[in-house]
Each structure stands twice: as structure tokens, then as C-alpha cells.
DNA sequence: CTCCAGGGATGAT
DNA sequence: ATCATCCATGGA
């Protein structure tokens, strides 16, 4: 099977992908570097450049990326079973309908951690811009189908830089946090691989010890890079959803109270519930464009 | 112009 | 223990 992408024809391999929506998953705020190309997308999965295109319940993937893609997009997650364990309330029902085929991906640890350190108080569009700038300036170039994709810079690569160099990438105050965390990881003082054996609470504590990592970022990294499907990141969107849909009368919440409620209420696959609620809210929220209706 | 964004760290009550 | 403030930057 061939497809012509840009200049060069590329050999593709087909893999089954039932209950999966590629475009939806790539647009759900988990990763920030995939680019639309032709009928599909190009991006890097770790050190490898990949082209992937969906036709119905099948993916067509650049030749050496099939297994990597299947793992990256978590095509083995039993989505129907996972969804069956989520609470069956109106908010979840609406979010599930809207997010059919959205999967929680398995991302490389450092790349996910670093990206979410740079995500603090940033819109998705700008997180993408920061990710691409870091990749183009400090990552490795890989040519694919006539275009070039860039890997995410390693911790060692970031650790060598000066803070001012990172600030030039529009990182703002996040530059210091990214640099300090990169140096901790690059020096081996912290091993992102070794902490993977820890139970949820201990893993979260280790992640929160890193500069620029608090509760929200730690939950994101646990969910997107450590297969902790219980993790429930609470950002401004999710807090809004929880307040409106589950506590419409309440005003005050003690710190951690919503986190605790979510852990108990959404359960073992709460991360899926969170991602569905997040994406549904973000994509359907009324885009206030200073309504002039006079 | 103002408001806000997949927050975190710090210091004051 | 909770709360207030600051931190940079760009899109809407």
C-alpha cells in the first residue's frame, strides 16, 4: 500500500485500530507536536519519526512504526471495559459521546514531564509553539516523506543550556524550572525510569519534588507517561466542570477536597473520565467573542 | 485595550 | 493550614 506524501511515496503498514479516533486523540491536549500532513499526521514518537493515517478502524503507519504506534496510542486499552467502569452520570455520558475513540496515550517520560512543566498557565496553542521551538532548536532532525520532524530534546541536551537561551524560546518563568529539572534528571540524581515501580502516592511525591511540578503536572505525567489511569489532573477547566456539574451549590472547597472527591467518585480509570470531561468542556465552551448584539 | 491560559512557589495571616 | 501574590507570554 502506497501513499504520496508531499514529494516522496512512502510504504505504509496497516494495523487494526478499533474504538480509536486518531485526530481526536491528537487534539485532546495530551501531546503538542503532531502536524497534519496529507490525509494523516507526522510526528515523533520518542526518537523515531512517524507518519500515521486513519481509514475507518485501521491505521496506516510508516513502515517501521507499527508496533511503536500501537503502544503509543494504547490500542490495547480495552476501551469499552474501561468506559463501563466510569460513573454513569449525565456529565460523563455527554463527554463519552463527544470523545468516542479518544485514548490515553503512553508517552515517553522525560518528554511528557518537560512538556507539562512548560504548560503552566499557557493555552494549548502556545504549549504547541513552545514544544515545536524546543524541538527545532535543540532536538534531532528526522526526515520523513519529504518533510522533517524533530525529536524532543533530551534532558542532557536541555541541561547543557543557559537559562537565558531557554527564555529565548518564550518560556518565561518556566525556563528556570525546566532547566533545574533537566539537570536533576541528566545528572542521574533522579531516575524517571526507576520511579516507575513506585505505587501512585510515592510516585506522585517523587514527581512533585521536581522544580515546576505540582499536583496538576504530576497527575498529568502519571496519567500520560506512567500508565496510572487513576490519575486525575485538576486544571482550571476541570475545576470548573466539577464545580458546575457535581457541586452546583457549593462555593468554598478546602485544598485537595475536589481531588479527593474525584479519586473516590471516578475510580480506577478516573484519568479517562478526566480526559473526556476536559476535552468536551474545552471544545464546547462558549467562545466569548465580545458579543455585539445591539 | 482587558482577560485568561491543562500552575507552582513563596511568604503573609 | 489556608490565602494572596508574583511569575512571562501571547491568543482571543
Amino acid at each position: 500500500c502506497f501513499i504520496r506524501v508531499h514529494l516522496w511515496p512512502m510504504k505504509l503498514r496497516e494495523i487494526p485500530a478499533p474504538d480509536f479516533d486518531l485526530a481526536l486523540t491528537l487534539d485532546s491536549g495530551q501531546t503538542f507536536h503532531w502536524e497534519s500532513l496529507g490525509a494523516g499526521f507526522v510526528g515523533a514518537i520518542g526518537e523515531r519519526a512517524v507518519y500515521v493515517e486513519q481509514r475507518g478502524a485501521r491505521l496506516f503507519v510508516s513502515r517501521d512504526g507499527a508496533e511503536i504506534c500501537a503502544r503509543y496510542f494504547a490500542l490495547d486499552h480495552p476501551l469499552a471495559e474501561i468506559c463501563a467502569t466510569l460513573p454513569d452520570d449525565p456529565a460523563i455520558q455527554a463527554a463519552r459521546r463527544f470523545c468516542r475513540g479518544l485514548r490515553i496515550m503512553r508517552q515517553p517520560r522525560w518528554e511528557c514531564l518537560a512538556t507539562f512543566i512548560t504548560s503552566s498557565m499557557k493555552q494549548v496553542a502556545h504549549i504547541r509553539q513552545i514544544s515545536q521551538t524546543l524541538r527545532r532548536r535543540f532536538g534531532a532532525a528526522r526526515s520523513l516523506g519529504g518533510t522533517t520532524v524533530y525529536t524532543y530534546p533530551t534532558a542532557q541536551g536541555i541541561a547543557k543550556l543557559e537559562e537565558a537561551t531557554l527564555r529565548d524560546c518564550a518560556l518565561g518563568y518556566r525556563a528556570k524550572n525546566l532547566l533545574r529539572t533537566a539537570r536533576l534528571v541528566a545528572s542521574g540524581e533522579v531516575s524517571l525510569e526507576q520511579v516507575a515501580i513506585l505505587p501512585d502516592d510515592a510516585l506522585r511525591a517523587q514527581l512533585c519534588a521536581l522544580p515546576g511540578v505540582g499536583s496538576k503536572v504530576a497527575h498529568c505525567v502519571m496519567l500520560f507517561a506512567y500508565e496510572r489511569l487513576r490519575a486525575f489532573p485538576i486544571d482550571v477547566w476541570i475545576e470548573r466542570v466539577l464545580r458546575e456539574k457535581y457541586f452546583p451549590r457549593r462555593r468554598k472547597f478546602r485544598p485537595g477536597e475536589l481531588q479527593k472527591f474525584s479519586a473516590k467518585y471516578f475510580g480506577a480509570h478516573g484519568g479517562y473520565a478526566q480526559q473526556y470531561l476536559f476535552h468536551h468542556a474545552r471544545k464546547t465552551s462558549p467562545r466569548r467573542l465580545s458579543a455585539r448584539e445591539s
Side-chain angles (χ1 to χ4, degrees), chain A residues 188-201:
Chain A
E189 188 170 333
V190 172
S191 167
L192 297 182
E193 307 308 321
Q194 286 183 9
V195 298
I197 66 170
L198 297 173
D200 287 357
D201 289 338

Side-chain angles (χ1 to χ4, degrees), chain A residues 134 137-138 160-171 175:
Chain A
L134 291 176
R137 294 195 189 176
F138 311 119
K160 284 189 275 210
L161 303 174
E162 300 293 329
E163 183 181 330
T165 309
L166 281 176
R167 280 188 179 256
D168 281 341
C169 303
L171 280 170

Side-chain angles (χ1 to χ4, degrees), chain A residues 93-156:
Chain A
Q93 287 170 10
R96 276 184 55 186
R97 274 196 303 276
F98 191 82
C99 297
R100 194 171 299 277
L102 199 172
R103 287 174 182 267
I104 302 291
M105 301 162 57
R106 292 192 188 93
Q107 298 183 45
R109 268 105 191 216
W110 162 250
E111 173 179 325
C112 181
L113 170 64
T115 301
F116 277 96
I117 285 175
T118 67
S119 77
S120 148
M121 290 301 291
K122 279 295 182 189
Q123 296 181 117
V124 169
H126 197 209
I127 300 169
R128 292 181 62 88
Q129 180 185 320
I130 290 173
S131 170
Q132 293 290 38
T133 301
L134 291 176
R135 286 171 182 274
R136 274 197 285 269
R137 294 195 189 176
F138 311 119
R142 303 263 188 269
S143 65
L144 176 74
T147 67
T148 303
V149 303
Y150 296 86
T151 67
Y152 199 87
T154 63
Q156 291 78 7

Side-chain angles (χ1 to χ4, degrees), chain A residues 25-235:
Chain A
T25 299
L26 289 180
D27 187 39
S28 67
Q30 299 184 60
T31 61
F32 304 90
H33 69 284
W34 288 84
E35 303 266 0
S36 174
L37 178 68
F41 300 87
V42 287
I45 300 180
E47 292 299 313
R48 190 181 301 268
V50 172
Y51 171 86
V52 55
E53 168 184 336
Q54 180 162 30
R55 298 178 209 161
R58 297 169 300 172
L59 292 183
F60 292 83
V61 182
S62 46
R63 197 166 45 79
D64 54 353
E67 289 78 13
I68 291 175
C69 251
R71 172 165 182 79
Y72 186 66
F73 292 115
L75 299 181
D76 55 305
H77 279 177
L79 209 51
E81 295 175 26
I82 287 171
C83 286
T85 70
L86 301 181
D88 194 30
D89 63 60
I92 290 290
Q93 287 170 10
R96 276 184 55 186
R97 274 196 303 276
F98 191 82
C99 297
R100 194 171 299 277
L102 199 172
R103 287 174 182 267
I104 302 291
M105 301 162 57
R106 292 192 188 93
Q107 298 183 45
R109 268 105 191 216
W110 162 250
E111 173 179 325
C112 181
L113 170 64
T115 301
F116 277 96
I117 285 175
T118 67
S119 77
S120 148
M121 290 301 291
K122 279 295 182 189
Q123 296 181 117
V124 169
H126 197 209
I127 300 169
R128 292 181 62 88
Q129 180 185 320
I130 290 173
S131 170
Q132 293 290 38
T133 301
L134 291 176
R135 286 171 182 274
R136 274 197 285 269
R137 294 195 189 176
F138 311 119
R142 303 263 188 269
S143 65
L144 176 74
T147 67
T148 303
V149 303
Y150 296 86
T151 67
Y152 199 87
T154 63
Q156 291 78 7
I158 297 283
K160 284 189 275 210
L161 303 174
E162 300 293 329
E163 183 181 330
T165 309
L166 281 176
R167 280 188 179 256
D168 281 341
C169 303
L171 280 170
Y173 63 88
R174 304 157 194 83
K176 183 191 296 286
N177 291 330
L178 178 60
L179 184 57
R180 288 173 59 198
T181 293
R183 288 179 174 166
L184 284 172
V185 172
S187 73
E189 188 170 333
V190 172
S191 167
L192 297 182
E193 307 308 321
Q194 286 183 9
V195 298
I197 66 170
L198 297 173
D200 287 357
D201 289 338
L203 172 58
R204 185 168 54 252
Q206 291 289 310
L207 292 172
C208 284
L210 298 169
V213 180
S215 175
K216 189 270 175 184
V217 169
H219 277 88
C220 282
V221 175
M222 291 170 69
L223 180 59
F224 300 140
Y226 285 90
E227 303 185 67
R228 307 303 171 102
L229 298 185
R230 261 180 206 284
F232 196 97
I234 298 180
D235 68 335

